[in-house]
Amino acid sequence: MDTTRLKQFVGTFWDDAILPSITEYIRIPNKSPAFDPKWAEHGYMEDAVKLMEAWARRELEAFPGAALEVVRLPGRTPLIFMEVPGDSKDTVLLYGHLDKQPEMKGWFEGYGPWIPLLKDDKLYGRGGADDGYAIYACLCALKAMQEQKVPRARCVVMIEACEESGSYDLPFYVDHLMDRLGNPSLVVCLDSGCGDWDRLWLTTSLRGIAAGTLTVRVLTEGVHSGDASGIVPSSFRILRSLVSRIEDEATGEIKIQDLYVQIPPQRIEQAKDAAKVLGDQVYAKFPFAGGTKPMASDLGDMVLNRTWRPQLATIGMDGYPAPIDAGNVLLPYSTAKLSIRIPPTLDGRAAVSAIKRTLEADPPYGAAVEFDGGEGQSGWHAPPLAPWLEKAVNRSSQEAFGNPAAYMGEGGTIPFMGMLGEKFPNTQFVITGVLGPHSNAHGPNEFLHIPTGKRVTVAVARLIAAHHERKT
Ligand SMILES: [Zn+2]
């Protein structure tokens, strides 16, 4: 494949065919079901599916025998499924999602989640980078290969609409589509992060998540704090002491030993390498306020902290009025939503029960304490890269970015990868993405870094070509 021609094709296709459509997509507030329980009634998810479906159908016309189906299992979010015949029966599975995170506060003046805004190579707005671009990049890579008549395996593309809610609909679709999925020998997932904009980043692991809601009840209704304090224990104080059972409040270290795993030596080495490539960007990419410093001093340790060690984030609180409405009341209950990221190889269900046991045992003052934790989600750890793929990854990074590839675990969770890893233990995985420094998926001011989108697309075309060449 001619690299210059490939880059040219991808660049023009992104500018002419992708950006106009993705701009429309950003306008649609199709929040994931967890953040919009009435998603079906509201119809935004349908709008996003229709937009992408129409776009993809037009592009697929160029591929003889290609098919697109919006699969709709009753009561579940829809899924866009495409089959593009190839030059062998071998299958490459490409994956992305179209549902979005909620708005979040803190967008720059004039910017907003549903306002597509192009500035300095960046397209701002919710869902462009996480993960709307995926379907566009997949078809662009296939078109670029076709333009140069490069042979490849049959490709199937799955774009789900439930990822940001934990992909709870996806196992049903995987079962439903099993025959049409075939037995993919390569999975390409375009929903991950990159450490910088200068190379292809391969995700070597993803953390799992054990989240739940901790509630402490001390009263059946609020009472005058002048009357009750000193007699009725504060629910906040009890909550605070319970949280301290699982996390050291001075260091942030998780205290439950069952939430740790042995980190594989190769991953420790790669974390050190990634830290060297990234330097201060390991932490400087975050918008620290005031004099806030990171939790560790060693860069390699920071990488391992966010990829292989359990960590707690308290992501929501209930039971409290806003300060302006707060009277002197001893409140009846405190609720905190706890989100604990767990190591890639730890079982999500086991993690939730270890946390629940620790929090609910022997409640202070006999208060009513409940941790509602659901099932948890296990993480994912990449199988070793086949030699052909390792070579291809480096080569495609060189050609697309001008630098060798880098390998790093990611701190986030993509439930589908765990599912696929279980179903297809011999499959090779390329998990990459455009969520780089400051791109702030899930937060305010999310943006899609367009040059990286193009380069990742170039790399994907290269990898699919190399996958076909490996046998012939
Ligand atoms: Zn995503």
Side-chain angles (χ1 to χ4, degrees):
M1 196 167 8
D2 182 286
T3 307
T4 315
R5 201 166 137 193
L6 171 64
K7 283 183 176 170
Q8 242 160 27
F9 182 93
V10 168
T12 309
F13 191 87
W14 261 83
D15 293 339
D16 296 351
I18 294 182
L19 289 176
S21 182
I22 212 164
T23 301
E24 286 312 305
Y25 164 77
I26 286 173
R27 289 186 213 279
I28 307 171
N30 59 310
K31 290 187 273 186
S32 199
F35 313 107
D36 183 7
K38 291 190 175 159
W39 63 271
E41 204 178 300
H42 289 154
Y44 299 127
M45 200 68 87
E46 196 52 34
D47 293 346
V49 167
K50 286 244 160 71
L51 172 79
M52 287 179 170
E53 179 193 4
W55 184 90
R57 276 199 197 284
R58 262 196 317 276
E59 298 302 336
L60 281 179
E61 279 169 17
F63 298 94
L68 181 153
E69 186 191 343
V70 178
V71 193
R72 298 168 197 279
L73 295 178
R76 304 202 176 276
T77 47
L79 178 135
I80 302 179
F81 186 74
M82 289 179 266
E83 291 179 80
V84 190
D87 304 283
S88 78
K89 289 218 157 55
D90 210 350
T91 301
V92 175
L93 167 62
L94 300 122
Y95 164 84
H97 67 87
L98 62 84
D99 55 315
K100 300 179 183 179
Q101 280 280 322
E103 295 85 346
M104 279 291 291
K105 290 181 182 146
W107 290 78
F108 303 137
E109 190 68 36
Y111 293 63
W114 322 124
I115 305 171
L117 218 152
L118 186 66
K119 187 150 194 283
D120 307 331
D121 284 348
K122 295 169 187 156
L123 179 58
Y124 285 85
R126 177 64 82 228
D130 182 16
D131 184 39
Y133 87 103
I135 184 170
Y136 299 100
C138 290
L139 289 193
C140 177
L142 297 185
K143 290 212 114 170
M145 295 177 74
Q146 186 187 49
E147 196 252 343
Q148 296 193 43
K149 300 193 171 56
V150 177
R152 56 163 174 78
R154 165 182 177 265
C155 289
V156 295
V157 184
M158 276 176 98
I159 306 293
E160 66 155 317
C162 192
E163 198 276 341
E164 302 292 3
S165 304
S167 292
Y168 54 75
D169 285 340
L170 196 57
F172 300 92
Y173 282 102
V174 172
D175 287 345
H176 179 77
L177 295 166
M178 207 57 190
D179 289 346
R180 283 191 270 169
L181 272 181
N183 191 355
S185 50
L186 175 66
V187 170
V188 178
C189 165
L190 296 182
D191 183 32
S192 195
C194 51
D196 61 19
W197 310 119
D198 300 329
R199 69 209 80 233
L200 184 67
W201 285 83
L202 240 63
T203 301
T204 54
S205 63
L206 296 157
R207 282 192 291 187
I209 192 162
T213 307
L214 174 63
T215 296
V216 176
R217 279 180 200 282
V218 293
L219 292 166
T220 54
E221 59 187 357
V223 293
H224 195 307
S225 64
D227 186 22
S229 67
I231 298 177
V232 180
S234 131
S235 63
F236 179 77
R237 185 164 60 83
I238 296 174
L239 183 105
R240 191 167 69 162
S241 80
L242 294 177
V243 172
S244 292
R245 290 180 183 180
I246 60 173
E247 181 201 49
D248 182 322
E249 70 267 22
T251 63
E253 206 169 297
I254 295 295
K255 291 177 174 171
I256 304 175
Q257 287 315 305
D258 287 352
L259 298 187
Y260 287 85
V261 300
Q262 187 88 36
I263 307 175
Q266 187 201 14
R267 299 305 181 211
I268 296 177
E269 283 311 308
Q270 286 173 341
K272 283 185 195 153
D273 291 345
K276 248 180 248 152
V277 169
L278 293 173
D280 290 354
Q281 276 306 308
V282 171
Y283 62 88
K285 67 175 183 171
F286 298 108
F288 285 102
T292 311
K293 291 186 193 63
M295 285 169 61
S297 51
D298 179 76
L299 295 173
D301 241 5
M302 284 186 220
V303 172
L304 290 174
N305 270 351
R306 77 178 270 281
T307 54
W308 277 91
R309 293 187 186 124
Q311 310 288 344
L312 166 68
T314 303
I315 57 174
M317 299 282 289
D318 196 10
Y320 293 82
I324 194 159
D325 303 319
N328 288 311
V329 173
L330 203 139
L331 297 164
Y333 73 95
S334 290
T335 290
K337 176 89 187 267
L338 306 179
S339 161
I340 296 126
R341 298 282 175 177
I342 56 173
T345 50
L346 196 73
D347 180 62
R349 197 182 293 242
V352 171
S353 48
I355 295 163
K356 186 175 171 70
R357 257 195 325 272
T358 310
L359 290 172
E360 289 185 352
D362 194 17
Y365 303 100
V369 171
E370 196 192 344
F371 181 70
D372 180 7
E375 305 209 323
Q377 292 157 30
S378 303
W380 172 82
H381 184 213
L385 278 192
W388 72 266
L389 185 55
E390 191 170 359
K391 235 184 275 163
V393 162
N394 261 308
R395 192 164 157 219
S396 55
S397 180
Q398 279 289 2
E399 288 184 352
F401 293 86
N403 286 307
Y407 298 84
M408 186 165 68
E410 279 294 336
T413 308
I414 310 174
F416 189 40
M417 296 305 116
M419 286 176 219
L420 282 180
E422 263 173 39
K423 278 211 193 303
F424 306 109
N426 300 317
T427 302
Q428 290 283 297
F429 285 84
V430 171
I431 301 187
T432 187
V434 297
L435 303 176
H438 305 285
S439 59
N440 220 14
H442 299 202
N445 308 311
E446 174 181 349
F447 65 77
L448 169 62
H449 191 252
I450 294 163
T452 300
K454 291 175 179 172
R455 288 180 190 126
V456 166
T457 307
V458 167
V460 168
R462 269 278 169 219
L463 289 170
I464 296 174
H467 166 263
H468 184 75
E469 279 165 20
R470 83 197 193 281
K471 282 182 185 161
T472 52

